[in-house]
Amino acid sequence: MHSDSSSAANAANTVLFEDVSKRFGAEEKSFTALDAVDFAVARGSITGIIGRSGAGKSTLIRLVNGLERPTSGKVIVDGVNVPDLDEAGLRALRRSIGMIFQHFNLLSSRTAFGNVALPLEIAGFDRDAIRTRVEPLLDLVGLSDKRDRYPAELSGGQKQRVGIARALATQPKLLLSDEATSALDPETTQSILELVKRINAELGLTVLLITHEMEVVKAVTSDVAVIDKGIIVERGRTFDVFTRPQHPTTRALLSGLPGSKLPAALASGLRPHKTQGGRVAVRITFFGRTAEQPLISQLIQTLGSDINIIAGTVDEIGGEPYGSLIIAYAADDATCAKADEFFKANGLVAEVLGYVS
């Protein structure tokens, strides 16, 4: 039974972390970078791992390609436990894993074509085979006309596209992205993320994306794990985690997204307790069917009083509609009770932010 369940898990997932811990240094001065991590990367998904600097993200990704070995636990990639591999096994594994980096890591002495060709040359491909493989990749990333340009002649976005093409050269099953958009401007970041989504869809490639940027996670991932001080504190479908964050770290990371941050004037005037004749400020989260209904007008009718709309945004997470609206209404007990009943009846997530005079 255990063997069957393990086989099923391996078939469904490209990467499995099973009770993985990683410590650095001698026992007395050791530092725990990862602590009992259990996490799966579904085959064919774009999965994000997000956390602050120093949370353990880069250590996690280095375990996948064998650049680090866990102190304990299993790191299973495509059915193989990476720590069990010898050097020959690791070389074979790394040919099935593509990697894109924050700072591109291109060779300045090689053209775009030459950089993409490098892993194929190392693998022993002949000239014709390399050309047959590299030219379609340059076309895929939109750089056919830049094949003979050197990195110094390319923009940041173009350099990253070369890096992506190079990562795909060995036809990997898994693509690792370590802060790949952190050095890019927002417009270029968006174009790179669109490219990653297209590669995932067209090639069926599993993508494991490490980032500290919630906007990146929101834009491309289907699943996400939140890591804090080496521990996975929350995980699930990106839409579920973003619309119903359970852990304080997740809420803190989400607070910087548009529509989540309170206007300065409101934030400075919020009080923790209600005052006579004051109003309560509430953030309402809309998703699914509720994002398309006239709920505010219905809420006004239910409460029988005015509502101030303070801030709001409408967006998509994983192709599903999502909205966040900050409103204020009378803070008396009767009005608040009616509002709470309305929110529950309509499947809305409501968070009291504080009270204003």
Side-chain angles (χ1 to χ4, degrees):
M1 181 72 79
H2 179 74
S3 176
D4 289 345
S5 62
S6 296
S7 298
N10 289 335
N13 302 296
T14 298
V15 183
L16 271 174
F17 299 96
E18 295 186 350
D19 197 25
V20 171
S21 294
K22 176 64 178 178
R23 289 185 292 278
F24 293 98
E27 285 191 16
E28 293 180 1
K29 297 181 180 180
S30 67
F31 167 71
T32 300
L34 296 172
D35 189 4
V37 169
D38 283 296
F39 180 58
V41 180
R43 194 173 302 279
S45 70
I46 302 179
T47 296
I49 297 178
I50 189 159
R52 301 183 180 94
S53 296
K57 305 185 300 296
S58 292
T59 300
L60 201 63
I61 209 169
R62 288 171 64 85
L63 294 176
V64 176
N65 56 19
L67 292 175
E68 298 283 357
R69 290 178 180 262
T71 304
S72 60
K74 294 182 178 181
V75 181
I76 300 171
V77 178
D78 220 23
V80 176
N81 187 30
V82 178
D84 291 342
L85 296 175
D86 57 17
E87 283 304 315
L90 284 173
R91 284 194 296 272
L93 172 78
R94 288 166 186 157
R95 284 195 291 272
S96 71
I97 299 174
M99 185 87 185
I100 52 178
F101 306 90
Q102 178 179 359
H103 297 297
F104 322 129
N105 289 11
L106 302 181
L107 294 178
S108 60
S109 60
R110 280 181 167 249
T111 63
F113 184 100
N115 270 283
V116 178
L118 182 60
L120 300 174
E121 293 175 13
I122 293 172
F125 282 64
D126 63 37
R127 184 175 298 179
D128 288 341
I130 288 173
R131 185 174 63 252
T132 299
R133 183 77 63 86
V134 172
E135 288 180 349
L137 286 173
L138 287 172
D139 184 53
L140 175 67
V141 300
L143 290 178
S144 292
D145 60 335
K146 300 289 191 297
R147 58 165 285 158
D148 297 321
R149 298 290 182 88
Y150 290 88
E153 302 174 277
L154 301 174
S155 69
Q158 290 168 340
K159 290 176 186 175
Q160 194 56 284
R161 287 172 181 271
V162 173
I164 291 171
R166 179 186 57 192
L168 299 176
T170 57
Q171 297 181 330
K173 299 175 182 177
L174 172 66
L175 181 63
L176 304 179
S177 170
D178 190 4
E179 300 282 9
T181 59
S182 294
L184 304 175
D185 62 75
E187 185 177 351
T188 306
T189 292
Q190 187 59 39
S191 71
I192 293 298
L193 295 179
E194 289 296 330
L195 176 60
V196 170
K197 282 199 291 187
R198 186 155 64 88
I199 288 168
N200 168 256
E202 293 181 7
L203 304 182
L205 196 64
T206 305
V207 181
L208 178 57
L209 187 147
I210 304 294
T211 184
H212 66 277
E213 300 172 293
M214 294 301 270
E215 282 282 5
V216 170
V217 173
K218 178 173 71 70
V220 296
T221 67
S222 54
D223 301 89
V224 66
V226 181
I227 188 168
D228 184 41
K229 298 176 183 176
I231 299 170
I232 300 291
V233 296
E234 192 160 359
R235 63 187 177 184
R237 281 203 323 140
T238 303
F239 187 87
D240 295 336
V241 171
F242 272 54
T243 56
R244 298 182 181 90
Q246 301 299 308
H247 195 273
T249 297
T250 312
R251 295 193 189 102
L253 289 168
L254 283 168
S255 66
L257 285 175
S260 298
K261 194 170 184 179
L262 291 176
L266 173 63
S268 63
L270 281 180
R271 299 291 180 267
H273 305 291
K274 65 177 69 176
T275 57
Q276 185 69 32
R279 300 173 78 77
V280 59
V282 176
R283 178 188 286 116
I284 306 172
T285 301
F286 301 80
F287 41 86
R289 63 177 183 82
T290 61
E292 300 167 356
Q293 296 181 8
L295 292 172
I296 293 302
S297 62
Q298 294 173 15
L299 179 59
I300 292 172
Q301 293 176 16
T302 299
L303 300 185
S305 62
D306 293 336
I307 293 175
N308 296 106
I309 297 177
I310 298 167
T313 185
V314 177
D315 208 338
E316 283 191 354
I317 301 172
E320 298 181 56
Y322 160 82
S324 176
L325 194 64
I326 299 173
I327 63 174
Y329 49 83
D332 62 89
D333 291 344
T335 300
C336 288
K338 289 180 185 177
D340 290 344
E341 288 179 14
F342 180 88
F343 298 146
K344 290 176 183 176
N346 287 279
L348 297 171
V349 174
E351 175 191 2
V352 173
L353 303 174
Y355 299 88
V356 291
S357 300

